[in-house]
Amino acid sequence: MDLSVFGYQFMQNAILISFLAGITCATIGVFVVLMHMPFIGVCMAHAAFAGALLGLWLGFEPLIGAFIFCLLAAAIIGPLADRGELNPDTSVGIIFSLMLGLAFLFMGLMSGSKSGALELLWGSILTSTRSDIIFLSVVVIIVVGLVLIFYKEIQATLFHREMALSVGLPATIILYGILFLTGTTITASLRSIGGLLIFSLILNPAAAAYQLTYSMKRMFLLSAGFGVLSGWIGLLFSYLFNVPSGATIVITSSVIFMLAIVFSPKRKVKKWQGKLLSEKG
Amino acid sequence: MVNTAISVKDAVVSYREDVALRGVSLEVASGEFVGIIGPNGAGKTTILTIINGLGKLHSGQVRVLGKNVTSRNINFIRRRVGYVPQVEHIDPRMPISVREVVMIGRYGLLGLFRRPGKNDWKIVDEMLELVGMDHLARRPIGHLSGGEQQRVAIARCLAQEPELFLLDEPTAALDWKAQTEILELVRQIHDARKLTTLFITHDLGALPVTCDRVILMKDGLIWSEGFPVKLLSDANLSQLYDMPVSVVKKRRGENILV
């Protein structure tokens, strides 16, 4: 196997980007999985995509458009989530479809080549630039730093927001902080990972980690590990079989999730209980 | 020393079109043990939530431990008020242990940037022992039964070292033996720590034993209040629950037999 390609700058950038995006997306993933609101990720990712297309259409920096749209989505999702009215079937579905509609509208209004727009949809990890890496590094430091500093507040809020509030913790601020970090993370990884794929990099590693541990600290670590691993293995397969890296990264993260389901001790508990019941019966 | 622990004046609370409280006034002296009973939808839970600021007042005033319940004072109040909500379903896969859940009770006291120390864990373990849940301390919280989770919620409240104790149907998920045990435990803790306690229950039999005073609620209003033995007459209950006196008598008779 010829691995000399890993000596090239573009490949090293891709490895670094998948490391950084893997950590930060997976951390966001733990938030949305534990709050039982995985659709926040879908909504925000599509909002970012729509915002970036607006930027492309009107000729300003797409990432600024993405960030503004993420904040708008957070402003709609936040109060709904806060009142416990956020169910994936309706409110989130509507925001999600609105964002998708806007994205296609902006794409249709754009004149000339649509390749820039499609790149934001699929991501282009192999053409990541130095500024992408710097932006993403800053976001990783902020996200990981805040989790370390406010771990106990975040832990309590993720477990039960009303309980966290009732002991005097600023759980509402933490909730909005989480939405803000989700938007920032998605904006920072949009160009490399792409609006469509980012959601699976948020959800899959965290969902896999959720299957494997009863400790929230370990869940954060496992999730980040799976995120990075998805990126790296995905890149390797993409190179070996000469297929799009976005696709291999998503497929790898899904395979990791399926393996986690198969080896989940949480499922074994169920089986074991089932056995006891059948023995009794 | 504040003599009035809770003072509610003309509290009105509405959720969308429904009015949950229609001008309720209530005073609870410090050290009192007050029970609230009433049919579903009477506004019992809402009363507890306006005391710790989780519920939003439409109009009226609430003072707790000498402070107005406003966004400025709210964290001061919440740190001193232990709240045991009704049992809810907890995802069995939730990655948090019983011990960690009880520790959440201390998080408000600890404040930002401070981590739980040895002393905090010692208090947590003592509280788990007190409610008889120390053997399950390291289990995931979602694996416990409703009654066990209720005890853990009480331990969490106690770990908070509150001055005021609010309990929303603390015995609802328990079997009858555990019901008595928990109520006795709550009363013991109330006496030992000189707390002020306000609790909601459907357990009529428990009220005379534990409460200094009973409040009957119906349709978002305080319908009557007073000493438990006098107030909980068959005639009163029949009006409170819209049931003929004979049915109330029969049901209470059955309750005693259970």
Side-chain angles (χ1 to χ4, degrees):
Chain A
M1 184 159 59
D2 177 21
L3 292 179
S4 63
V5 66
F6 288 99
Y8 289 101
Q9 184 70 45
F10 78 90
M11 203 59 179
Q12 286 169 358
N13 282 352
I15 291 170
L16 201 52
I17 283 277
S18 42
F19 175 75
L20 296 168
I23 290 177
T24 167
C25 288
T27 306
I28 296 298
V30 174
F31 298 154
V32 298
V33 165
L34 289 183
M35 290 196 297
H36 298 291
M37 296 176 188
F39 276 81
I40 287 177
V42 192
C43 258
M44 288 260 201
H46 286 83
F49 180 55
L53 288 183
L54 184 68
L56 272 184
W57 173 42
L58 296 180
F60 62 90
E61 171 57 45
L63 291 191
I64 292 176
F67 190 58
I68 292 171
F69 265 59
C70 278
L71 293 186
L72 281 177
I76 303 171
I77 295 170
L80 291 174
D82 199 20
R83 287 200 297 263
E85 288 170 2
L86 195 70
N87 60 50
D89 320 336
T90 49
S91 17
V92 180
I94 289 164
I95 304 168
F96 162 68
S97 55
L98 171 69
M99 291 305 171
L100 205 58
L102 286 175
F104 283 123
L105 177 70
F106 299 147
M107 210 193 283
L109 290 171
M110 245 182 268
S111 53
S113 158
K114 307 256 192 302
S115 65
L118 288 174
E119 213 158 71
L120 286 172
L121 194 59
W122 301 113
S124 53
I125 200 165
L126 293 174
T127 58
S128 306
T129 59
R130 207 178 158 70
S131 62
D132 290 334
I133 294 175
I134 293 171
F135 185 19
L136 201 50
S137 306
V138 171
V139 172
V140 170
I141 291 167
I142 292 172
V143 170
V144 174
L146 287 175
V147 171
L148 289 175
I149 295 171
F150 296 107
Y151 180 73
K152 73 178 196 303
E153 285 78 14
I154 291 173
Q155 179 205 34
T157 306
L158 293 180
F159 170 57
H160 200 297
R161 207 163 57 252
E162 198 176 51
M163 183 194 292
L165 277 175
S166 77
V167 298
L169 296 177
T172 311
I173 297 172
I174 299 270
L175 172 72
Y176 279 92
I178 285 173
L179 290 175
F180 181 77
L181 291 182
T182 309
T184 315
T185 295
I186 288 173
T187 305
S189 0
L190 185 68
R191 217 199 294 271
S192 327
I193 311 294
L196 267 189
L197 308 180
I198 214 164
F199 170 60
S200 54
L201 207 53
I202 287 177
L203 185 64
N204 293 357
Y210 191 46
Q211 297 297 327
L212 297 175
T213 178
Y214 284 115
S215 147
M216 208 181 278
K217 276 183 190 143
R218 236 175 279 152
M219 183 172 166
F220 273 110
L221 293 174
L222 272 176
S223 180
F226 290 153
V228 173
L229 209 61
S230 306
W232 284 353
I233 296 176
L235 272 182
L236 182 68
F237 278 114
S238 144
Y239 166 68
L240 288 179
F241 301 108
N242 196 22
V243 283
S245 56
T248 49
I249 291 173
V250 170
I251 293 169
T252 311
S253 70
S254 309
V255 170
I256 289 177
F257 172 71
M258 284 177 227
L259 288 174
I261 286 268
V262 173
F263 292 106
S264 168
K266 303 190 179 182
R267 268 171 56 87
K268 280 191 191 119
V269 173
K270 259 190 210 157
K271 262 190 210 159
W272 174 74
Q273 283 170 341
K275 207 174 159 194
L276 272 184
L277 286 175
S278 63
E279 274 170 8
K280 267 185 201 162
Chain B
M1 186 72 202
V2 187
N3 286 325
T4 310
I6 303 168
S7 155
V8 178
K9 279 196 192 107
D10 303 319
V12 176
V13 177
S14 66
Y15 301 119
R16 296 164 200 264
E17 296 100 58
D18 302 322
V19 183
L21 293 181
R22 312 164 182 268
V24 167
S25 296
L26 168 73
E27 296 255 326
V28 179
S30 32
E32 252 192 311
F33 197 115
V34 179
I36 303 176
I37 64 163
N40 295 334
K44 306 186 294 294
T45 300
T46 310
I47 276 230
L48 294 194
T49 60
I50 58 170
I51 290 166
N52 71 359
L54 287 179
K56 297 271 170 291
L57 275 180
H58 181 265
S59 64
Q61 197 197 27
V62 182
R63 276 177 82 77
V64 176
L65 303 169
K67 299 220 178 229
N68 283 330
V69 179
T70 56
S71 51
R72 237 182 73 201
N73 297 331
I74 199 63
N75 282 342
F76 172 90
I77 292 169
R78 282 178 182 158
R79 279 168 202 164
R80 284 159 187 80
V81 176
Y83 176 50
V84 179
Q86 285 179 52
V87 174
E88 291 175 37
H89 172 75
I90 298 176
D91 187 337
R93 293 170 298 179
M94 198 67 185
I96 187 163
S97 73
V98 168
R99 220 165 157 248
E100 288 171 315
V101 170
V102 176
M103 181 54 89
I104 290 177
R106 297 197 64 74
Y107 282 178
L109 293 175
L110 280 167
L112 293 175
F113 310 116
R114 273 183 60 202
R115 307 233 148 170
K118 253 191 196 150
N119 187 46
D120 297 300
W121 287 114
K122 206 180 120 224
I123 292 169
V124 163
D125 290 335
E126 281 169 15
M127 296 313 152
L128 278 169
E129 208 180 316
L130 190 66
V131 299
M133 286 289 111
D134 43 330
H135 61 296
L136 300 176
R138 294 186 190 270
R139 292 274 285 277
I141 182 74
H143 285 199
L144 270 56
S145 72
E148 288 165 343
Q149 285 181 9
Q150 196 75 8
R151 287 167 188 256
V152 172
I154 290 170
R156 170 178 56 76
C157 251
L158 293 174
Q160 196 180 336
E161 301 180 64
E163 293 168 40
L164 200 72
F165 211 7
L166 307 175
L167 301 121
D168 196 344
E169 295 186 35
T171 56
L174 306 177
D175 63 59
W176 64 270
K177 178 170 161 276
Q179 279 184 4
T180 332
E181 281 173 16
I182 283 287
L183 281 178
E184 275 169 8
L185 178 69
V186 169
R187 181 75 217 199
Q188 271 171 25
I189 294 162
H190 168 93
D191 291 340
R193 301 188 173 227
K194 301 187 171 52
L195 302 176
T196 307
T197 304
L198 195 58
F199 89 121
I200 296 172
T201 185
H202 285 298
D203 183 2
L204 296 176
L207 288 168
V209 191
T210 48
C211 291
D212 303 327
R213 183 153 65 108
V214 176
I215 291 169
L216 308 187
M217 286 193 73
K218 191 178 180 181
D219 299 330
L221 287 169
I222 292 182
W223 188 69
S224 185
E225 59 180 305
F227 295 109
V229 184
K230 246 200 250 165
L231 202 61
L232 298 175
S233 64
D234 290 341
N236 274 346
L237 290 174
S238 113
Q239 280 189 46
L240 184 66
Y241 288 96
D242 291 325
M243 269 196 296
V245 177
S246 58
V247 178
V248 171
K249 267 191 182 147
K250 186 167 168 277
R251 296 217 174 177
R252 294 189 91 184
E254 280 166 358
N255 258 341
I256 293 159
L257 287 177
V258 166

